[in-house]
Amino acid sequence: MKNIQANNVDAYYGENHVLKDITLNVKEKSVTAFIGPSGCGKSTFLRMFNRMNDYIEGFRKEGEILIDGKEIYDKDVRVEELRQNVGMVFQRPNPFPKSIYDNVAYGLRIQGIKDKTRLDQAVENALRKSVLWDEAKDNLNKSALSLSGGQQQRLCIARTLAVEPTIILMDEPASALDPISTSKIEELILELKVDYTIIIVTHNMQQAARISDKTAFFYIGELIEYNKTKDLFTNPENERTENYISGRFG
Amino acid sequence: MNNLRKNRLIDETFRYFGIACTLFGLVMLAIFIGKILLDGAGRIDWDFIMSLPSRKPEKAGILTAWTGTTWILGLTAIIAIPIGVAAGIYLEEYGNKNRLASIVEINIANLAGVPSIIYGLLGLEIFVRTLKLGGSLLAGAFTLALLILPIIIVATREALKAVPGSLREASYGMGATKWQTIWYQVLPASSGGILTGIILSLSRAVGETAPLIVIGALAYVPFIAKSPMDEFTVLPMQIFNWVSRPQHGFIVNAASAIIILLIITFILNGIAIYLRNKWQKKINW
Ligand SMILES: Nc1ncnc2c1ncn2[C@@H]1O[C@H](COP(=O)(O)OP(=O)(O)OP(=O)(O)O)[C@@H](O)[C@H]1O
Ligand SMILES: [Mg+2]
């Protein structure tokens, strides 16, 4: 079922109340886009699904976040396991300063997997899925930093896929890339949606419209509108949504 | 208009003043090194390096001194590096960022500025007397390790701080534990900075004399140290001993020994600078 379910979620950085009473469900094997003006809390919300906010001092969460019906902030949840299941791709490509192979194998190695054939196979699979295999297969031992920005971002996706997550979070994954690399990432997302549940934060309305099934519009910490992408973009229910998507503010 | 000219004059004056100050430092250093080279370079040969000390200046050598320095350097490194790096990692990555932590932090920074003779007194009390190590290499190494620990801790913390947050996030995002993230990502990325700090601290230890005099290192040691429990001397002590002798021959010896000591320090610092440059290039991703 792989449902993500957020019930009445509030989030705070110290005194700063950045997410207010958010309730939202995400269906498995779909693409959900989070849009909204800068600072409205998209990243904060996204990063709650794999608990990346845990390291931020003063961060506090209220309400429920359930994945497959299980509260992920419960004490008995191992956060490392959670993150193997819920992978993340960041705004700026951040490959490890190691070889391409080592980047993709990292997630498995830290799980204690050493078997060479198994690692080789996993690296190849992940690179194929992220459509980087043809470009990288002869350079697996080259530094990941020698790749272009777009290739680095696809490598980061491959690295995430290698640990076989079911959910992938992407925080503006294409905002630091050129148009061609961006469209490659978009194609990739559409392919991945067959097997994975994807949530993507984007500032690019066309991008949200092109690749997502559902779109959530946030405004100063509140979820204003959450609907099928087509409906939200053609027929927004809320005036603020309409103003935002038509570019009148934000 | 008048004001502008005045400002420009001040500007120019300060420029020349600055150049003069810089030149003063450089010229003094050049004169010093030139004089040392003139006095001592001719005396350096294989015999000088491989001879035991002697009452006759032309027979005396620095064998015990440089072997002692090497011993001290090695033992100090073995003691100080693991403790210093581990403490740095703990304080930076694990320690709470509360009031106590900031007090500890300020105190460590202060410790780096405590006069070295105080460390000598501490070493005398703890290692020489209480632990009964006597004036041995081990006592000297422990004392110098205390002296350079704060430098290593501070350098380690700075190097860890310089690792971009995106690298940690990437590792955590893959399901790595804190320790895995530190061990596989953060430490390799900061190793250049940590190594630089270690080498600079060791190069400081090489030149230290006062704490070793306090713990009772001898100026005249007629044999090579064979174990950490042996008595010892080091290059700066040998130099100190020679310059206080009346014969001109010993003054020449001292100059030669200074050249050797300078070479060792320059090499250590050179390695540190090389590593720092290499590391700075690497960290710009
Ligand atoms: N680490 C942090 N510590 C304190 N406050 C933070 C932190 N990160 C974000 N905030 C605050 O939380 C609010 C929401 O930030 P968030 O990064 O989630 O917004 P966003 O919608 O992702 O914006 P953008 O589109 O610019 O990325 C902002 O007011 C921001 O100042
Ligand atoms: Mg954001």
mmCIF file of all heavy atoms in Angstrom, chain B residues 8 15 46 57 62-63 78 122 138 153 186 207 221 233 235 244:
data_model
loop_
_atom_site.group_PDB
_atom_site.id
_atom_site.type_symbol
_atom_site.label_atom_id
_atom_site.label_comp_id
_atom_site.label_asym_id
_atom_site.label_seq_id
_atom_site.Cartn_x
_atom_site.Cartn_y
_atom_site.Cartn_z
ATOM 1 N N ARG B 8 44.757 61.150 0.657
ATOM 2 C CA ARG B 8 45.682 60.419 -0.206
ATOM 3 C C ARG B 8 47.067 60.368 0.418
ATOM 4 O O ARG B 8 47.765 59.360 0.361
ATOM 5 C CB ARG B 8 45.722 61.084 -1.582
ATOM 6 C CG ARG B 8 46.290 60.139 -2.624
ATOM 7 C CD ARG B 8 46.179 60.712 -4.010
ATOM 8 N NE ARG B 8 44.816 60.777 -4.483
ATOM 9 C CZ ARG B 8 44.428 61.573 -5.489
ATOM 10 N NH1 ARG B 8 45.305 62.370 -6.078
ATOM 11 N NH2 ARG B 8 43.192 61.561 -5.897
ATOM 12 N N ARG B 15 51.040 53.232 3.341
ATOM 13 C CA ARG B 15 51.575 52.219 2.435
ATOM 14 C C ARG B 15 53.074 52.013 2.682
ATOM 15 O O ARG B 15 53.552 50.894 2.852
ATOM 16 C CB ARG B 15 51.342 52.649 0.997
ATOM 17 C CG ARG B 15 50.837 51.534 0.099
ATOM 18 C CD ARG B 15 50.334 52.127 -1.184
ATOM 19 N NE ARG B 15 51.449 52.504 -2.034
ATOM 20 C CZ ARG B 15 51.913 51.715 -3.002
ATOM 21 N NH1 ARG B 15 51.341 50.562 -3.238
ATOM 22 N NH2 ARG B 15 52.935 52.090 -3.737
ATOM 23 N N TRP B 46 79.123 14.636 7.762
ATOM 24 C CA TRP B 46 78.625 13.356 8.235
ATOM 25 C C TRP B 46 79.080 13.086 9.671
ATOM 26 O O TRP B 46 78.323 12.611 10.510
ATOM 27 C CB TRP B 46 79.100 12.259 7.288
ATOM 28 C CG TRP B 46 78.457 10.941 7.568
ATOM 29 C CD1 TRP B 46 79.077 9.809 7.982
ATOM 30 C CD2 TRP B 46 77.062 10.634 7.469
ATOM 31 N NE1 TRP B 46 78.168 8.802 8.143
ATOM 32 C CE2 TRP B 46 76.911 9.282 7.838
ATOM 33 C CE3 TRP B 46 75.927 11.364 7.118
ATOM 34 C CZ2 TRP B 46 75.675 8.640 7.857
ATOM 35 C CZ3 TRP B 46 74.706 10.730 7.135
ATOM 36 C CH2 TRP B 46 74.577 9.390 7.503
ATOM 37 N N PRO B 57 85.216 20.623 21.058
ATOM 38 C CA PRO B 57 84.228 21.057 20.076
ATOM 39 C C PRO B 57 84.419 20.396 18.717
ATOM 40 O O PRO B 57 83.438 20.049 18.049
ATOM 41 C CB PRO B 57 84.439 22.582 19.993
ATOM 42 C CG PRO B 57 85.642 22.902 20.782
ATOM 43 C CD PRO B 57 85.928 21.753 21.693
ATOM 44 N N ILE B 62 76.019 15.764 16.964
ATOM 45 C CA ILE B 62 74.639 15.912 17.433
ATOM 46 C C ILE B 62 73.875 14.595 17.392
ATOM 47 O O ILE B 62 72.646 14.579 17.397
ATOM 48 C CB ILE B 62 73.886 16.963 16.591
ATOM 49 C CG1 ILE B 62 73.980 16.610 15.109
ATOM 50 C CG2 ILE B 62 74.399 18.351 16.855
ATOM 51 C CD1 ILE B 62 73.047 17.426 14.238
ATOM 52 N N LEU B 63 74.596 13.483 17.349
ATOM 53 C CA LEU B 63 73.906 12.196 17.220
ATOM 54 C C LEU B 63 72.858 11.990 18.309
ATOM 55 O O LEU B 63 71.700 11.686 18.021
ATOM 56 C CB LEU B 63 74.930 11.049 17.260
ATOM 57 C CG LEU B 63 74.329 9.667 17.090
ATOM 58 C CD1 LEU B 63 73.661 9.543 15.729
ATOM 59 C CD2 LEU B 63 75.378 8.579 17.265
ATOM 60 N N ILE B 78 52.527 9.686 18.889
ATOM 61 C CA ILE B 78 51.724 8.509 19.238
ATOM 62 C C ILE B 78 50.757 8.830 20.373
ATOM 63 O O ILE B 78 49.621 8.371 20.395
ATOM 64 C CB ILE B 78 52.647 7.322 19.636
ATOM 65 C CG1 ILE B 78 53.401 6.825 18.418
ATOM 66 C CG2 ILE B 78 51.843 6.194 20.265
ATOM 67 C CD1 ILE B 78 54.477 5.810 18.734
ATOM 68 N N LEU B 122 53.888 21.049 35.195
ATOM 69 C CA LEU B 122 52.848 20.030 35.298
ATOM 70 C C LEU B 122 53.438 18.640 35.038
ATOM 71 O O LEU B 122 53.199 17.684 35.787
ATOM 72 C CB LEU B 122 51.756 20.336 34.260
ATOM 73 C CG LEU B 122 50.481 19.518 34.327
ATOM 74 C CD1 LEU B 122 49.728 19.842 35.597
ATOM 75 C CD2 LEU B 122 49.607 19.820 33.111
ATOM 76 N N LEU B 138 59.847 9.136 27.855
ATOM 77 C CA LEU B 138 58.398 9.013 28.013
ATOM 78 C C LEU B 138 57.821 10.219 28.760
ATOM 79 O O LEU B 138 56.797 10.782 28.366
ATOM 80 C CB LEU B 138 58.084 7.716 28.766
ATOM 81 C CG LEU B 138 56.721 7.099 28.469
ATOM 82 C CD1 LEU B 138 56.527 6.892 26.974
ATOM 83 C CD2 LEU B 138 56.573 5.782 29.209
ATOM 84 N N ILE B 153 43.452 19.623 19.034
ATOM 85 C CA ILE B 153 41.993 19.629 19.218
ATOM 86 C C ILE B 153 41.368 20.770 18.430
ATOM 87 O O ILE B 153 40.395 20.579 17.689
ATOM 88 C CB ILE B 153 41.644 19.767 20.724
ATOM 89 C CG1 ILE B 153 42.093 18.515 21.477
ATOM 90 C CG2 ILE B 153 40.143 19.982 20.902
ATOM 91 C CD1 ILE B 153 41.909 18.601 22.981
ATOM 92 N N VAL B 186 33.125 12.439 6.698
ATOM 93 C CA VAL B 186 33.606 13.682 7.298
ATOM 94 C C VAL B 186 35.121 13.631 7.550
ATOM 95 O O VAL B 186 35.855 14.559 7.194
ATOM 96 C CB VAL B 186 32.844 13.983 8.606
ATOM 97 C CG1 VAL B 186 33.393 15.229 9.262
ATOM 98 C CG2 VAL B 186 31.358 14.148 8.319
ATOM 99 N N GLY B 207 60.734 22.304 18.650
ATOM 100 C CA GLY B 207 61.542 23.432 19.094
ATOM 101 C C GLY B 207 61.471 23.710 20.578
ATOM 102 O O GLY B 207 62.192 24.561 21.087
ATOM 103 N N VAL B 221 74.318 13.937 27.148
ATOM 104 C CA VAL B 221 73.957 12.520 27.196
ATOM 105 C C VAL B 221 74.912 11.779 26.278
ATOM 106 O O VAL B 221 74.873 11.957 25.072
ATOM 107 C CB VAL B 221 72.503 12.293 26.722
ATOM 108 C CG1 VAL B 221 72.148 10.813 26.813
ATOM 109 C CG2 VAL B 221 71.549 13.115 27.542
ATOM 110 N N THR B 233 68.483 13.802 25.355
ATOM 111 C CA THR B 233 68.574 15.231 25.087
ATOM 112 C C THR B 233 67.921 15.479 23.735
ATOM 113 O O THR B 233 67.630 14.530 23.011
ATOM 114 C CB THR B 233 70.029 15.718 25.088
ATOM 115 O OG1 THR B 233 70.034 17.144 25.078
ATOM 116 C CG2 THR B 233 70.783 15.209 23.875
ATOM 117 N N LEU B 235 67.658 18.444 20.233
ATOM 118 C CA LEU B 235 68.450 19.464 19.539
ATOM 119 C C LEU B 235 68.437 20.829 20.223
ATOM 120 O O LEU B 235 69.520 21.389 20.458
ATOM 121 C CB LEU B 235 67.953 19.598 18.091
ATOM 122 C CG LEU B 235 68.584 18.617 17.106
ATOM 123 C CD1 LEU B 235 67.842 18.655 15.783
ATOM 124 C CD2 LEU B 235 70.060 18.929 16.897
ATOM 125 N N SER B 244 76.128 28.256 25.688
ATOM 126 C CA SER B 244 76.524 28.756 27.003
ATOM 127 C C SER B 244 77.977 28.390 27.337
ATOM 128 O O SER B 244 78.460 28.705 28.422
ATOM 129 C CB SER B 244 75.571 28.225 28.080
ATOM 130 O OG SER B 244 75.455 26.835 27.977
#
